[in-house]
Amino acid sequence: MKELTSDIVIIGGGLGGVAAALAALKLGRSVILTEEFKWLGGQLTTQAVPPDENPWIESDGSTASYRQLRAEMRDYYRRNYPLTDEARADEKLNPGSGNVSPLCAEPRAGVAAIEALLAPWFATGRLTVLMSAKPVAAETDGDRFTAVTVRSFEYGEMVLTGRYFIDATELGDLLELGKVEHVIGAESQAETGEPAALAGNANPFDQQAVSWCFAMSYHPEEDHTIERPRDYDIWRDFKLDFWPDRQLSFIGPNPVTLEPDNRPLFVGDSDAKFAPDNWHYRRIFYRRHHVGNRYDSDICLVNWPQIDYCGGPLVGVSAEEAEKHLEGARQLSLSMLYWMQTEAPRHDGGYGYRGLKPAGAVMGTLDGLTIAPYIRESRRIKALFTVTENHVGIDAREGLTGAEQFADSVGVGSYRIDLHPSTAPRNYVDIANWPFQIPLGSLIPARVENMLPACKNIGTTHLTNGCYRLHPVEWNIGESVGALAAYCIENDISPRGVRETADRLADFQHLLTSRFEVPLAWPQHIRETPRLELFGRVE
C-alpha cells in the first residue's frame, strides 16, 4: 500500500475539516485532508443545507475565515450570474432569498468558496487533498494514533501517518476505528443532570433522524412526475404515534409546542420574495435576482420534518443495518417528492404538483437527491469536559442570565437546542438557548493524546449536540482544533497540557484572537440575549 505522511492528517472534508486544514496551513504545518465524497464542505455542499446561523452572523459570532467563506459564496454569484443591479449591489445578498438563513445558496457556491480558500496552499506543497477516500482502519500505540488507512476510489488503499490526527467525519468514524472512548445516543438525567434528558435509562439507539435532502424547481405547465418509488405504498400510509398526520403530508408538529403546524408548499405567488410556506423556507435560488430569461424557476431545497427518517440509527449498528436505514431515508425522500407530484393538496385546488422537477444538476446528482444524507448526530468523544443543557439552556439555567462562561473558551456560537424526531422514535426536543462559548476541554479526548474531534463529535451530550452542530459552530470548532494541533507541534506540548497550563492556555487563546480573529466571548448585550427565534420568526 502507498504511504503518505504529513504533520496533521484530517479525516473528513466537511466544514470542520476544511477549517482545521486552513488553520494548520496558516501556522506552517503540512496537511493531508481526505473526503469520502466528491465535494468538500459536508453539510453545506454534499448535504446541501443552507447555513443555520446565529441572528447576529453578519456582524458577530463567527471567525474571520468563516466570514471570508460567506463573502466568497456571495462573490461567486456576482462573478458568474446575470444579477440585477439591485442584487449585485446588495452587500448582504441572499442568493435564494430563503427564510431560514441570510445566505441560502446552491451547494456549488459553497464548493467554489472552499476551493478559493484552499487554492493558495497547494503550490506550497504542504496540502494534499484526497477525494472519494473513506477511512477503513486506524493503528494506535497505547494512547496515540500512529496511522489511518483510507480506501480511495482513485488510488486504492493508502496508509496516512502524521503527528496529529483530526476526526472531521460526519459520524465520528475514527472514534470507532481507533477505539476512542465515546458516547452514542441519548443520555439519562441521572448521567448528565439535564432537565430535558431521558427520565429513565439512557438509550444509545435514540439518535436524531437522518434526512436525505433533495432540490426541485417548479414548471406548472409541464409534467416531471418521477417513477413511483419502490417503498411509496409503505410511506404513503405511514404515521408515527406522536405525529399529527401521515408522514407524507404538509402537516407536521411545531418543534416547540408540538401542536399541528400546516405549512403548504405554496402560499400565493411562488415567485414572491417572501411567503410563510415550504417553498420559500429553504429556497436556494431566486430567479428574480437575475436579468433576462435564462432561469424559468426558483429552486427549493427540501429539508422538512416530513423527510426526517426515524426508522433506525446509523451508529452502534452493523454496516448492513446502517445501509438499510440510509436506503430507507432515500426512499422516504423520493416518496415525498412523488406524493407532492401526484397527491398533495394544491394551494389553488385539486391535487398534485406535476410540474415539480428534481434539480439534479444543482445537487451534483441525477435524481435531485443530495450527494450525501444530512447527518445531525455523531459519535461523541468522552472529553475532559462535557457541555450540558445546564451550561447553555435558558430553562435549565433558571434565575441565571447568560450561558456558562468558560475560562478555556476557544470560540462562540448560538443556536437553539434543536433535536429533530429521533430513532427511539421520539418527538422534537426544541429548547431556547443563551449565546454560548466553545470550551477547549470539550475538544480534548479524556485519554487519547494526538487525535482531536472537529465536527459533531466533540464533548457534548445528545441535547447540546443540537446547538453545537450547525455550520458556523462546526467551522469554529475545526479552526480551533487545527490551530491547536499546530500549536502543540510547534511547542512540543499536548492538548491537555495547553488547557491545564495557565500561561500556555493564555498564549493559545491569544493566537486564536490575534491570528484568526476567533471571538472567545460574546459582547455583553448579545451574551444576555436569549435565542428565541424559530423558522425566522420570534416565538
Side-chain angles (χ1 to χ4, degrees), residues 371-408:
I371 294 169
Y374 180 31
I375 304 293
R376 296 183 177 91
E377 187 168 338
S378 168
R379 302 174 180 92
R380 306 182 298 278
I381 63 167
K382 290 188 176 180
L384 295 183
F385 181 85
T386 300
V387 181
T388 72
E389 179 193 1
N390 299 323
H391 297 121
V392 300
I394 290 176
D395 292 342
R397 295 178 63 78
E398 184 179 3
L400 299 173
T401 300
E404 187 80 14
Q405 297 300 289
F406 299 116
D408 64 343

Short mmCIF file of all heavy atoms in Angstrom, two decimals, residues 371-408:
data_model
loop_
_atom_site.label_atom_id
_atom_site.label_comp_id
_atom_site.label_asym_id
_atom_site.label_seq_id
_atom_site.Cartn_x
_atom_site.Cartn_y
_atom_site.Cartn_z
N ILE A 371 -25.86 14.51 -2.58
CA ILE A 371 -24.81 13.50 -2.69
C ILE A 371 -24.76 12.63 -1.44
O ILE A 371 -24.56 11.42 -1.51
CB ILE A 371 -23.45 14.18 -2.93
CG1 ILE A 371 -23.44 14.88 -4.30
CG2 ILE A 371 -22.30 13.19 -2.83
CD1 ILE A 371 -22.25 15.79 -4.52
N ALA A 372 -24.96 13.26 -0.30
CA ALA A 372 -24.86 12.55 0.98
C ALA A 372 -26.05 12.92 1.86
O ALA A 372 -26.65 13.99 1.70
CB ALA A 372 -23.55 12.93 1.69
N PRO A 373 -26.40 12.06 2.79
CA PRO A 373 -27.51 12.37 3.70
C PRO A 373 -27.11 13.43 4.71
O PRO A 373 -25.93 13.58 5.05
CB PRO A 373 -27.77 11.03 4.39
CG PRO A 373 -26.44 10.35 4.39
CD PRO A 373 -25.80 10.75 3.09
N TYR A 374 -28.10 14.16 5.20
CA TYR A 374 -27.87 15.18 6.23
C TYR A 374 -27.80 14.48 7.58
O TYR A 374 -28.78 13.94 8.08
CB TYR A 374 -29.01 16.21 6.19
CG TYR A 374 -28.89 17.32 7.20
CD1 TYR A 374 -27.66 17.79 7.64
CD2 TYR A 374 -30.04 17.93 7.71
CE1 TYR A 374 -27.56 18.82 8.56
CE2 TYR A 374 -29.96 18.96 8.63
CZ TYR A 374 -28.71 19.40 9.05
OH TYR A 374 -28.62 20.42 9.97
N ILE A 375 -26.61 14.52 8.17
CA ILE A 375 -26.35 13.85 9.44
C ILE A 375 -26.41 14.88 10.56
O ILE A 375 -25.67 15.86 10.55
CB ILE A 375 -24.96 13.17 9.44
CG1 ILE A 375 -24.84 12.20 8.26
CG2 ILE A 375 -24.69 12.49 10.77
CD1 ILE A 375 -25.74 11.00 8.34
N ARG A 376 -27.26 14.64 11.55
CA ARG A 376 -27.39 15.59 12.67
C ARG A 376 -26.66 15.13 13.92
O ARG A 376 -26.40 15.95 14.80
CB ARG A 376 -28.88 15.79 13.01
CG ARG A 376 -29.68 16.43 11.89
CD ARG A 376 -31.12 16.67 12.32
NE ARG A 376 -31.85 17.36 11.26
CZ ARG A 376 -32.53 16.75 10.30
NH1 ARG A 376 -32.57 15.42 10.26
NH2 ARG A 376 -33.19 17.43 9.38
N GLU A 377 -26.35 13.86 14.02
CA GLU A 377 -25.78 13.36 15.27
C GLU A 377 -24.72 12.31 14.98
O GLU A 377 -24.88 11.46 14.12
CB GLU A 377 -26.89 12.77 16.15
CG GLU A 377 -26.41 12.37 17.52
CD GLU A 377 -27.55 12.05 18.47
OE1 GLU A 377 -28.69 12.52 18.22
OE2 GLU A 377 -27.32 11.34 19.45
N SER A 378 -23.63 12.38 15.74
CA SER A 378 -22.46 11.57 15.53
C SER A 378 -22.09 10.84 16.82
O SER A 378 -22.69 11.06 17.88
CB SER A 378 -21.31 12.50 15.12
OG SER A 378 -20.06 11.86 15.16
N ARG A 379 -21.10 9.97 16.74
CA ARG A 379 -20.42 9.54 17.95
C ARG A 379 -19.79 10.76 18.60
O ARG A 379 -19.32 11.66 17.92
CB ARG A 379 -19.34 8.52 17.62
CG ARG A 379 -19.86 7.27 16.90
CD ARG A 379 -18.70 6.38 16.47
NE ARG A 379 -19.17 5.18 15.78
CZ ARG A 379 -19.31 5.08 14.46
NH1 ARG A 379 -19.03 6.13 13.68
NH2 ARG A 379 -19.74 3.96 13.91
N ARG A 380 -19.74 10.80 19.94
CA ARG A 380 -19.20 11.96 20.66
C ARG A 380 -18.12 11.50 21.63
O ARG A 380 -18.33 10.55 22.39
CB ARG A 380 -20.31 12.69 21.43
CG ARG A 380 -21.49 13.08 20.56
CD ARG A 380 -22.55 13.85 21.35
NE ARG A 380 -23.15 13.08 22.42
CZ ARG A 380 -24.15 12.20 22.26
NH1 ARG A 380 -24.63 11.95 21.05
NH2 ARG A 380 -24.65 11.57 23.31
N ILE A 381 -16.99 12.16 21.61
CA ILE A 381 -15.89 11.73 22.48
C ILE A 381 -16.26 11.88 23.96
O ILE A 381 -17.03 12.76 24.34
CB ILE A 381 -14.60 12.54 22.21
CG1 ILE A 381 -14.81 14.03 22.53
CG2 ILE A 381 -14.07 12.34 20.82
CD1 ILE A 381 -13.53 14.84 22.61
N LYS A 382 -15.71 11.00 24.78
CA LYS A 382 -15.67 11.25 26.21
C LYS A 382 -14.52 12.23 26.43
O LYS A 382 -13.35 11.88 26.28
CB LYS A 382 -15.48 9.95 26.99
CG LYS A 382 -16.71 9.05 26.94
CD LYS A 382 -16.57 7.86 27.88
CE LYS A 382 -17.85 7.04 27.90
NZ LYS A 382 -17.73 5.86 28.80
N ALA A 383 -14.87 13.46 26.75
CA ALA A 383 -13.92 14.56 26.74
C ALA A 383 -13.49 14.95 28.15
O ALA A 383 -14.07 14.51 29.16
CB ALA A 383 -14.55 15.76 26.04
N LEU A 384 -12.47 15.79 28.22
CA LEU A 384 -12.07 16.35 29.51
C LEU A 384 -13.21 17.14 30.13
O LEU A 384 -13.32 17.24 31.36
CB LEU A 384 -10.85 17.26 29.34
CG LEU A 384 -9.55 16.60 28.90
CD1 LEU A 384 -8.43 17.62 28.86
CD2 LEU A 384 -9.18 15.43 29.82
N PHE A 385 -14.08 17.70 29.28
CA PHE A 385 -15.22 18.47 29.77
C PHE A 385 -16.38 18.26 28.81
O PHE A 385 -16.19 18.27 27.58
CB PHE A 385 -14.88 19.96 29.85
CG PHE A 385 -16.00 20.81 30.38
CD1 PHE A 385 -16.18 20.97 31.74
CD2 PHE A 385 -16.90 21.44 29.52
CE1 PHE A 385 -17.23 21.75 32.24
CE2 PHE A 385 -17.94 22.22 30.00
CZ PHE A 385 -18.10 22.37 31.37
N THR A 386 -17.57 18.06 29.36
CA THR A 386 -18.76 17.85 28.53
C THR A 386 -19.74 19.00 28.74
O THR A 386 -20.11 19.30 29.88
CB THR A 386 -19.44 16.52 28.89
OG1 THR A 386 -18.51 15.45 28.66
CG2 THR A 386 -20.67 16.31 28.03
N VAL A 387 -20.15 19.62 27.65
CA VAL A 387 -21.14 20.70 27.70
C VAL A 387 -22.52 20.08 27.86
O VAL A 387 -22.90 19.18 27.10
CB VAL A 387 -21.10 21.56 26.43
CG1 VAL A 387 -22.11 22.70 26.53
CG2 VAL A 387 -19.70 22.12 26.19
N THR A 388 -23.28 20.57 28.82
CA THR A 388 -24.63 20.05 29.05
C THR A 388 -25.66 21.17 28.89
O THR A 388 -25.32 22.35 28.78
CB THR A 388 -24.78 19.44 30.45
OG1 THR A 388 -24.79 20.49 31.42
CG2 THR A 388 -23.65 18.46 30.75
N GLU A 389 -26.92 20.75 28.91
CA GLU A 389 -28.02 21.71 28.86
C GLU A 389 -27.91 22.73 29.99
O GLU A 389 -28.29 23.90 29.83
CB GLU A 389 -29.35 20.96 28.96
CG GLU A 389 -30.59 21.83 28.94
CD GLU A 389 -31.85 21.11 29.36
OE1 GLU A 389 -31.77 19.91 29.70
OE2 GLU A 389 -32.92 21.75 29.36
N ASN A 390 -27.36 22.32 31.12
CA ASN A 390 -27.24 23.22 32.27
C ASN A 390 -26.26 24.36 32.03
O ASN A 390 -26.27 25.34 32.77
CB ASN A 390 -26.81 22.44 33.51
CG ASN A 390 -27.82 21.36 33.87
OD1 ASN A 390 -29.02 21.56 33.74
ND2 ASN A 390 -27.33 20.20 34.28
N HIS A 391 -25.43 24.25 31.00
CA HIS A 391 -24.48 25.31 30.67
C HIS A 391 -25.05 26.32 29.68
O HIS A 391 -24.60 27.47 29.64
CB HIS A 391 -23.20 24.71 30.08
CG HIS A 391 -22.45 23.83 31.02
ND1 HIS A 391 -22.18 22.51 30.75
CD2 HIS A 391 -21.92 24.07 32.25
CE1 HIS A 391 -21.51 21.98 31.76
NE2 HIS A 391 -21.34 22.90 32.68
N VAL A 392 -26.02 25.91 28.86
CA VAL A 392 -26.44 26.77 27.76
C VAL A 392 -27.96 26.96 27.64
O VAL A 392 -28.41 27.89 26.98
CB VAL A 392 -25.89 26.25 26.41
CG1 VAL A 392 -24.38 26.20 26.42
CG2 VAL A 392 -26.46 24.87 26.07
N GLY A 393 -28.76 26.09 28.24
CA GLY A 393 -30.21 26.16 28.07
C GLY A 393 -30.85 27.20 28.97
O GLY A 393 -30.49 27.33 30.15
N ILE A 394 -31.79 27.95 28.45
CA ILE A 394 -32.44 29.00 29.23
C ILE A 394 -33.25 28.42 30.38
O ILE A 394 -33.11 28.85 31.53
CB ILE A 394 -33.33 29.87 28.31
CG1 ILE A 394 -32.43 30.71 27.39
CG2 ILE A 394 -34.24 30.78 29.13
CD1 ILE A 394 -33.19 31.54 26.39
N ASP A 395 -34.07 27.42 30.11
CA ASP A 395 -34.89 26.84 31.17
C ASP A 395 -34.03 26.17 32.23
O ASP A 395 -34.31 26.28 33.43
CB ASP A 395 -35.88 25.83 30.58
CG ASP A 395 -36.94 26.48 29.71
OD1 ASP A 395 -37.12 27.70 29.83
OD2 ASP A 395 -37.56 25.77 28.90
N ALA A 396 -32.99 25.47 31.79
CA ALA A 396 -32.13 24.77 32.75
C ALA A 396 -31.35 25.73 33.64
O ALA A 396 -30.93 25.35 34.73
CB ALA A 396 -31.16 23.85 32.00
N ARG A 397 -31.13 26.95 33.16
CA ARG A 397 -30.38 27.96 33.92
C ARG A 397 -31.34 28.98 34.54
O ARG A 397 -31.05 30.18 34.59
CB ARG A 397 -29.36 28.65 33.02
CG ARG A 397 -28.27 27.70 32.54
CD ARG A 397 -27.28 28.37 31.61
NE ARG A 397 -26.54 29.43 32.27
CZ ARG A 397 -25.52 29.24 33.11
NH1 ARG A 397 -25.15 27.99 33.41
NH2 ARG A 397 -24.88 30.25 33.65
N GLU A 398 -32.47 28.49 35.00
CA GLU A 398 -33.48 29.37 35.58
C GLU A 398 -32.87 30.26 36.67
O GLU A 398 -32.17 29.78 37.56
CB GLU A 398 -34.63 28.54 36.16
CG GLU A 398 -35.77 29.37 36.70
CD GLU A 398 -36.90 28.52 37.24
OE1 GLU A 398 -36.75 27.27 37.25
OE2 GLU A 398 -37.92 29.08 37.66
N GLY A 399 -33.14 31.56 36.55
CA GLY A 399 -32.61 32.51 37.53
C GLY A 399 -31.25 33.06 37.17
O GLY A 399 -30.76 33.98 37.83
N LEU A 400 -30.62 32.50 36.12
CA LEU A 400 -29.30 32.97 35.69
C LEU A 400 -29.44 33.68 34.35
O LEU A 400 -30.27 33.34 33.53
CB LEU A 400 -28.34 31.79 35.55
CG LEU A 400 -28.06 30.99 36.82
CD1 LEU A 400 -27.23 29.76 36.49
CD2 LEU A 400 -27.35 31.86 37.87
N THR A 401 -28.59 34.66 34.13
CA THR A 401 -28.58 35.40 32.86
C THR A 401 -27.35 35.01 32.06
O THR A 401 -26.22 35.19 32.52
CB THR A 401 -28.59 36.92 33.09
OG1 THR A 401 -29.76 37.26 33.83
CG2 THR A 401 -28.57 37.67 31.77
N GLY A 402 -27.55 34.49 30.88
CA GLY A 402 -26.44 34.12 30.02
C GLY A 402 -26.01 32.68 30.23
O GLY A 402 -26.35 32.03 31.22
N ALA A 403 -25.24 32.20 29.26
CA ALA A 403 -24.69 30.85 29.33
C ALA A 403 -23.50 30.82 30.29
O ALA A 403 -22.97 31.86 30.69
CB ALA A 403 -24.25 30.39 27.94
N GLU A 404 -23.08 29.62 30.66
CA GLU A 404 -21.87 29.45 31.47
C GLU A 404 -20.68 30.07 30.73
O GLU A 404 -20.51 29.90 29.52
CB GLU A 404 -21.62 27.96 31.69
CG GLU A 404 -20.51 27.65 32.63
CD GLU A 404 -20.91 27.75 34.09
OE1 GLU A 404 -22.13 27.80 34.36
OE2 GLU A 404 -20.02 27.76 34.95
N GLN A 405 -19.84 30.79 31.46
CA GLN A 405 -18.65 31.39 30.88
C GLN A 405 -17.45 30.50 31.19
O GLN A 405 -17.19 30.16 32.34
CB GLN A 405 -18.43 32.80 31.44
CG GLN A 405 -19.55 33.77 31.10
CD GLN A 405 -19.74 33.96 29.61
OE1 GLN A 405 -18.91 34.58 28.94
NE2 GLN A 405 -20.83 33.43 29.06
N PHE A 406 -16.72 30.12 30.14
CA PHE A 406 -15.63 29.17 30.26
C PHE A 406 -14.28 29.88 30.15
O PHE A 406 -14.02 30.59 29.17
CB PHE A 406 -15.73 28.09 29.18
CG PHE A 406 -16.99 27.28 29.24
CD1 PHE A 406 -17.92 27.31 28.21
CD2 PHE A 406 -17.25 26.49 30.35
CE1 PHE A 406 -19.07 26.56 28.26
CE2 PHE A 406 -18.41 25.72 30.41
CZ PHE A 406 -19.33 25.75 29.37
N ALA A 407 -13.42 29.64 31.12
CA ALA A 407 -12.08 30.25 31.10
C ALA A 407 -11.25 29.72 29.94
O ALA A 407 -10.31 30.40 29.48
CB ALA A 407 -11.37 29.98 32.42
N ASP A 408 -11.56 28.52 29.46
CA ASP A 408 -10.79 27.94 28.35
C ASP A 408 -11.51 28.07 27.02
O ASP A 408 -11.30 27.27 26.10
CB ASP A 408 -10.46 26.48 28.64
CG ASP A 408 -11.70 25.60 28.72
OD1 ASP A 408 -12.81 26.14 28.88
OD2 ASP A 408 -11.56 24.35 28.62
#
